[in-house]
Structure formats: C-alpha cells, structure tokens
C-alpha cells in the first residue's frame, strides 16, 4: 500500500492540464484589464462632467456680480473669442474667476496642452466662449459656451435658449454647454 501512495505523489500534472489552467488564467486577466480600462474611462468622464458643472457655477456667480460673463480671449490658433486649456488664454479666464468665484480653474484629466482640441480628435480639454459682439440678438458677453470632449461618447448639446440662424458648429465628438 505504501508503494501505491508514493507512485501517485510523483505523477504530477499533465501538459494538457497545465495548458488549460494557463488559458483560464489568461482569459480572466484579459477580462480584468478590459473592465479596469472601462472604469478609468468612466471616471475621467465623470470628472469632466463635474468640472464643467463647477465652471458653470463660477460663471453664473460672476454674472450675478458683473451683469455679464467673463470675456473670451485667445491666440490666433483658437480665435479671439475662445479661452481653452490648450491655449495660454485659459489664464485670462482664470484671472476673472480665481479666487473669488472658484478656488482653482479645472483642467481636463488628460488635458492635451497646445492642441486645438475643438477641431480634431487628438486631444482633450475645456473650451470657453463668450460672445464678443451681438450674436443671435444677444448683446456682447451675455452668453457663453463651454466645449469639452468625453471618451467614447456620442455628441451632446445642452443649451438654454436657441439660435436657429448662424449657429456655432463643432467637431462631432465634442459636447457643449451653452447659455
């Protein structure tokens, strides 16, 4: 009887059994990696939505105190009405809002600096627009548009009011919040 137990202990696993275990582990690892990446993407999108809500609140408080929204300012690559994280003009908007209306102006979680994110699909950031002249019957600095991009999401427009003529257009993968 003791000889039978010794022979079974030495036997071990077959190659097929080891391959099955390795394949199962590989499948579980692949599923975990995909799920983890999806969770990170949703977290960044949630951060973007939260950041935009914070910016909107700061803009509305600025409007209450000043009767108009902060001016947009930009370089020639953005244009004269935009402030964007891809551009140093974001500091202009920051100068109007920080520290009185917001402690710090948010930046996109994966902010791509020096890329005009509004017209290509290469980067992420936040864009702020304040009309510099009459637009759709609205006097200067009485409206704003925030533009931002979510990962793997369809285009979305959230606006207060409507302008059927001379509407602004953006790349199809960007969201905007307009007032």
């Amino acid at each position: 009887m003791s000889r039978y137990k010794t022979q079974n202990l030495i036997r071990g696993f077959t190659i097929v059994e080891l391959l099955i275990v390795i394949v199962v582990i590989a499948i579980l690892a692949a599923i975990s990696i995909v799920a983890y990446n999806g969770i990170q993407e949703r977290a960044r999108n949630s951060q973007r939505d939260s950041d935009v809500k914070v910016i909107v609140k700061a803009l509305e408080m600025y409007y209450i105190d000043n009767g108009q929204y902060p001016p947009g300012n930009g370089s020639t690559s953005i244009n004269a009405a935009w402030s964007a994280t891809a551009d140093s003009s974001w500091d202009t908007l920051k100068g109007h809002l920080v520290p009185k209306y917001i402690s710090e102006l948010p930046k996109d979680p994966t902010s791509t600096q020096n890329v005009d994110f509004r017209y290509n699909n290469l980067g992420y950031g936040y864009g702020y627009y304040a009309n510099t002249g009459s637009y759709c019957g609205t006097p200067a600095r009485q409206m704003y548009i925030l533009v931002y991009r979510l990962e793997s999401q369809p285009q979305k427009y959230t606006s207060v009011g409507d302008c059927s003529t001379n509407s602004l257009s953006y790349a199809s993968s960007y969201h905007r919040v307009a007032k």
Side-chain angles (χ1 to χ4, degrees):
M1 182 95 102
S2 114
R3 183 174 171 197
Y4 178 74
K5 285 184 180 178
T6 306
Q7 286 177 344
N8 280 342
L9 290 176
I10 296 174
R11 183 173 169 260
F13 295 105
T14 65
I15 292 281
V16 173
E17 290 170 333
L18 288 174
L19 287 175
I20 290 172
V21 169
I22 290 171
V23 167
V24 168
I25 290 172
I27 290 171
L28 291 174
I31 290 170
S32 298
I33 290 171
V34 170
Y36 179 72
N37 287 339
I39 289 170
Q40 283 187 317
E41 182 180 290
R42 286 191 303 273
R44 287 189 298 268
N45 284 344
S46 180
Q47 181 64 46
R48 289 178 181 104
D49 286 336
S50 176
D51 287 349
V52 167
K53 287 176 185 174
V54 167
I55 294 170
V56 166
K57 285 180 184 177
L59 290 170
E60 294 303 323
M61 289 188 298
Y62 182 94
Y63 185 85
I64 289 169
D65 286 350
N66 298 290
Q68 60 186 2
Y69 293 105
N73 183 27
S75 68
T76 55
S77 67
I78 301 288
N79 82 30
W82 286 91
S83 293
T85 56
D87 184 81
S88 61
S89 66
W90 193 248
D91 290 336
T92 302
L93 180 61
K94 185 168 135 181
H96 289 282
L97 298 179
V98 175
K100 186 173 182 180
Y101 304 102
I102 190 172
S103 61
E104 182 179 35
L105 203 55
K107 286 194 175 186
D108 187 273
T110 58
S111 183
T112 308
Q113 296 298 321
N114 302 318
V115 173
D116 188 352
F117 62 89
R118 295 173 299 117
Y119 296 114
N120 59 48
N121 292 326
L122 298 176
Y124 295 90
Y126 304 133
Y128 166 76
Y129 171 82
N131 61 325
T132 55
S134 179
Y135 180 79
C136 281
T138 304
R141 294 175 55 190
Q142 295 299 305
M143 66 169 282
Y144 68 86
I145 297 173
L146 290 172
V147 181
Y148 62 106
R149 179 177 173 204
L150 296 178
E151 298 174 48
S152 304
Q153 296 285 321
Q155 179 181 13
K156 177 175 103 177
Y157 295 104
T158 305
S159 61
V160 176
D162 186 26
C163 178
S164 57
T165 61
N166 197 23
S167 62
L168 298 170
S169 61
Y170 305 94
S172 62
S173 62
Y174 294 94
H175 292 222
R176 74 177 185 184
V177 176
K179 175 156 193 308

